Amino acid sequence: NAGVTQTPKFQVLKTGQSMTLQCAQDMNHNSMYWYRQDPGMGLRLIYYSASEGTTDKGEVPNGYNVSRLNKREFSLRLESAAPSQTSVYFCASTRLAGTPGTGELFFGEGSRLTVL
Amino acid sequence: DAKTTQPNSMESNEEEPVHLPCNHSTISGTDYIHWYRQLPSQGPEYVIHGLTSNVNNRMASLAIAEDRKSSTLILHRATLRDAAVYYCILRVPYGQNFVFGPGTRLSVLP
């Protein structure tokens, strides 16, 4: 049981390049999330998808787009990367959308992105 | 969203109990209290959650104050593997956003 799988684990980009971070979960979860984590800080929500076919902005969505490809997969795209987007990106999922307080988050191992 | 306040860092000796505090004075009556931890170079992992009553699981115990304005995560016997950043977060019922603050960095000394 793989849980939440993110690819790639490491990526170096030049300013202005584009790339897509892929995330897949095999737990039949409805809700999926993308967070970023900067050094010494907590996680900040970029986008989330409460269920297949829906996406919503989180705290820091500017410069990013997302696609919920199907129930398993949720991708994060940087159209024109900037140095400020250098960060570690985490994908997460939870069992049921809108559960009343249970529904723990399961995280991937992270994708470390450097933009030069 | 109601916010939480945690100490930036704490130290503990191996095999001793650790009490990690969290203040959430603006918590609403229906917010759940969740704890996660993040080991070095890994994604966060769920530890425990509760609403009003104290909770125990194989990883830890959660003690919730009677007025729910604070809570304490208890690791009964710290091991070196427990060195991590611990996050206390509030989960709004049916909400989608888990808001993570900076957390508490726990160091465990051998």
Side-chain angles (χ1 to χ4, degrees), chain A residues 27-104:
Chain A
M27 296 172 283
N28 201 34
H29 286 175
N30 282 348
S31 299
M32 298 185 72
Y33 305 78
W34 276 105
Y35 286 89
R36 62 176 287 175
Q37 185 173 38
D38 300 314
M41 297 182 66
L43 287 83
R44 292 184 292 171
L45 182 65
I46 305 171
Y47 271 93
Y48 65 93
S49 171
S51 60
E52 188 177 355
T54 69
T55 60
D56 285 286
K57 295 178 180 179
E59 183 185 355
V60 288
N62 291 344
Y64 304 95
N65 287 303
V66 290
S67 296
R68 184 72 183 269
L69 305 170
N70 48 54
K71 192 172 185 179
R72 289 187 64 246
E73 298 172 288
F74 188 38
S75 63
L76 178 71
R77 182 160 178 83
L78 287 71
E79 291 291 352
S80 179
S84 61
Q85 294 178 303
T86 294
S87 189
V88 180
Y89 292 83
F90 289 99
C91 178
S93 67
T94 191
R95 184 165 51 90
L96 292 174
T99 52
T102 55
E104 65 201 67

Side-chain angles (χ1 to χ4, degrees), chain B residues 13-49:
Chain B
N13 293 318
E14 195 176 10
E15 298 188 3
E16 290 187 355
V18 183
H19 291 233
L20 296 163
C22 181
N23 288 318
H24 28 79
S25 58
T26 59
I27 190 172
S28 73
T30 53
D31 289 346
Y32 280 75
I33 302 159
H34 282 236
W35 283 82
Y36 285 75
R37 72 177 185 181
Q38 187 173 19
L39 302 173
S41 301
Q42 294 189 26
E45 63 176 349
Y46 167 82
V47 178
I48 200 167
H49 78 275

Side-chain angles (χ1 to χ4, degrees), chain B residues 75-94:
Chain B
L75 307 179
H76 295 287
R77 284 182 75 234
T79 69
L80 297 179
R81 195 190 175 278
D82 291 323
V85 178
Y86 287 79
Y87 299 99
C88 166
I89 66 174
L90 300 181
R91 175 85 192 275
V92 175
Y94 300 100

